[in-house]
Amino acid sequence: MKKFKLFRFSFLLSGLIIAGNCLADNFIAVSKDGKVYDEASAKYVTLNQDNDEVNVIPGMVFKTTEHAPGWYLVEYSPGLRAYIPDQIVANSFVSPKPGTYKISNNPSQTLSITQSGDNWNATLGAQSYIGSRFEDVVVFNDSDQKIAFSLVDLGNGPIVITYDNHVTKFF
């Protein structure tokens, strides 16, 4: 009877570990300029509300929910999902470091990033953002828990990106 209870317990524990891993956030970083596509095919480029193509630049970070051969399904803006080709996705990183960085896609702004243990914080003017590290990617969310900034180092120095739609023109 003890063996059966131990088996049930280990089976339940394994299930919880697998479920936890499925719920973990996965992020990818872009290493090359590219486009976003409606399908896992280069046939239909995603368009924004101005009928312009949605483009990505090196250093952009996206939550991904699916990886099919040659493609990643990403959430490029809250609630908006599309595909990017895996050949523009970075596969090596340098650990992120705190500092003061010009925002790559809006160089007129500078983001100050601090770290204390596992706690990451960013400041832009009077606004503060709490960051979360996912392996070698740091994501800073706004008060609505939407991605505001990211920090990643693809090997050529840190890259900070803003996800303000006035800059990205994602939608």
Side-chain angles (χ1 to χ4, degrees):
M1 187 67 154
K2 282 186 178 183
K3 285 184 179 182
F4 181 71
K5 285 183 180 180
L6 182 61
F7 174 75
R8 280 188 5 200
F9 175 74
S10 63
F11 183 74
L12 178 63
L13 184 60
S14 297
L16 290 173
I17 291 170
I18 291 169
N21 287 338
C22 291
L23 296 175
D25 289 331
N26 291 312
F27 287 86
I28 54 97
V30 174
S31 64
K32 301 175 187 169
D33 290 330
K35 297 184 185 307
V36 175
Y37 298 92
D38 292 340
E39 299 175 7
S41 162
K43 189 172 182 179
Y44 300 106
V45 175
T46 301
L47 303 176
N48 64 18
Q49 66 185 4
D50 296 326
N51 217 29
D52 295 326
E53 294 179 348
V54 175
N55 295 298
V56 294
I57 60 171
M60 285 186 164
V61 170
F62 301 105
K63 186 183 294 188
T64 181
T65 56
E66 180 181 312
H67 182 216
W71 297 91
Y72 282 92
L73 177 62
V74 298
E75 184 172 52
Y76 65 95
S77 192
L80 300 176
R81 290 177 180 79
Y83 292 87
I84 61 172
D86 68 1
Q87 65 259 30
I88 69 168
V89 174
N91 52 25
S92 64
F93 302 90
V94 174
S95 289
K97 296 188 178 14
T100 300
Y101 303 109
K102 287 217 175 282
I103 298 173
S104 294
N105 57 344
N106 193 8
S108 65
Q109 293 184 316
T110 302
L111 191 70
S112 296
I113 299 172
T114 60
Q115 174 199 10
S116 177
D118 291 337
N119 298 318
W120 290 81
N121 293 289
T123 308
L124 177 67
Q127 290 284 86
S128 293
Y129 304 87
I130 296 173
S132 298
R133 184 172 174 171
F134 302 91
E135 295 185 18
D136 289 329
V137 170
V138 182
V139 175
F140 298 93
N141 291 323
D142 64 16
S143 58
D144 295 327
Q145 297 306 304
K146 296 177 182 166
I147 186 170
F149 301 97
S150 63
L151 168 65
V152 67
D153 189 334
L154 304 175
N156 296 319
I159 301 171
V160 172
I161 297 288
T162 179
Y163 296 88
D164 180 342
N165 192 59
H166 292 97
V167 177
T168 62
K169 305 205 183 322
F170 281 163
F171 59 91

